[in-house]
Amino acid sequence: MATKTFSHFLLIYCIVLFNSTCIAQKIYAEYVTVYKAIQINEHHSDTLTSSKAYNVKVPPFLYAYSYANQKSYFSLIKGPGKTTATIITENDPRPIKDVIDFPSKECIFKDLKKNAMYVTTTDSKGNHAQQKTLNKYAWKITKERQTILGYTCLKATCIYNEVNITAWFTKQIKVPDGPLKYHGLPGLILKVTTGPYYETTATCVEVHKK
């Protein structure tokens, strides 16, 4: 009951945020996430039990992102949901078909001013909601550069939960935020790679100055 109540509250809150950003929106972007590998902890076959990352082929995820007044809303537009994925293991060259329960709905709301994050997801097992403080990323900014959508981006790296994270952010858009749960750099993150697992890249960015 508590989860449903919180989920309902968050839905209303996000609607209010979205409506307000329509009036005074500063940033709108779209991102695509492509899975490269997946971590297998258990498998139906007794011969395949591992925690390593294996190559996986699934359709990409499409997201919408909006930012205004130190608040951002990152929501899933289209994803594979519960789907049959092709998994390639190093022990067996033959592809393995397995069902993966990806979220059919996902929303990540970040309030940078209050250091708070609210996450809601929906999969085949139901609705899930979580409220927590923002993740802390110990970013190290390098001198490497890359151009994304016409913006000059700098490379930043960190390790979070034993996973290597690489982000490309632009100081041309002075927003300390980015896609998914990432934030904390002096510019909008336009591309981020999470270990060997997946990569999220901006496909369009609109800046609306007040």
Side-chain angles (χ1 to χ4, degrees), residues 9-204:
F9 166 78
L10 180 59
L11 176 61
I12 295 175
Y13 193 87
C14 287
I15 290 174
V16 171
L17 170 69
F18 179 77
N19 289 336
S20 66
T21 56
C22 287
I23 298 173
Q25 187 181 46
K26 186 175 181 181
I27 303 294
Y28 174 81
E30 292 181 0
Y31 289 84
V32 59
T33 294
V34 177
Y35 266 82
K36 297 181 176 182
I38 193 166
Q39 190 174 32
I40 302 175
N41 295 316
E42 294 181 355
H43 198 273
H44 299 299
S45 172
D46 293 335
T47 61
L48 183 59
T49 301
S50 175
S51 59
K52 294 183 179 180
Y54 291 103
N55 295 335
V56 64
K57 292 183 179 180
V58 294
F61 295 72
L62 304 178
Y63 292 91
Y65 171 87
S66 60
Y67 174 94
N69 302 321
Q70 299 186 60
K71 300 180 179 68
S72 67
Y73 181 47
F74 188 78
S75 61
L76 180 64
I77 300 174
K78 183 180 180 181
K82 189 173 184 179
T83 185
T84 300
T86 301
I87 300 173
I88 309 296
T89 73
E90 57 189 28
N91 297 326
D92 191 340
R94 296 171 299 178
I96 297 174
K97 300 289 186 179
D98 202 358
V99 176
I100 303 177
D101 193 7
F102 290 109
S104 58
K105 294 181 181 179
E106 183 177 19
C107 169
I108 301 173
F109 171 72
K110 285 175 284 185
D111 190 328
L112 303 182
K113 188 174 182 179
K114 294 183 178 181
N115 194 37
M117 178 169 60
Y118 308 87
V119 181
T120 59
T121 58
T122 300
D123 54 29
S124 63
K125 297 179 181 179
N127 301 318
H128 315 278
Q130 183 181 30
Q131 177 181 356
K132 58 184 293 186
T133 57
L134 292 174
N135 296 339
K136 293 183 179 180
Y137 301 104
W139 295 111
K140 294 181 179 179
I141 300 175
T142 73
K143 295 183 179 180
E144 292 186 56
R145 296 174 182 268
Q146 181 180 152
T147 301
I148 302 175
L149 297 177
Y151 293 97
T152 300
C153 297
L154 291 172
K155 181 181 178 181
T157 63
C158 74
I159 298 177
Y160 185 80
N161 284 344
E162 300 182 354
V163 176
N164 293 317
I165 311 296
T166 300
W168 294 89
F169 70 97
T170 177
K171 291 184 177 180
Q172 294 172 264
I173 305 177
K174 298 186 180 301
V175 170
D177 196 37
L180 300 165
K181 300 177 181 179
Y182 299 110
H183 66 97
L185 286 165
L188 182 65
I189 299 172
L190 296 184
K191 181 178 179 181
V192 60
T193 303
T194 305
Y197 304 111
Y198 53 91
E199 186 170 84
T200 301
T201 308
T203 57
C204 72

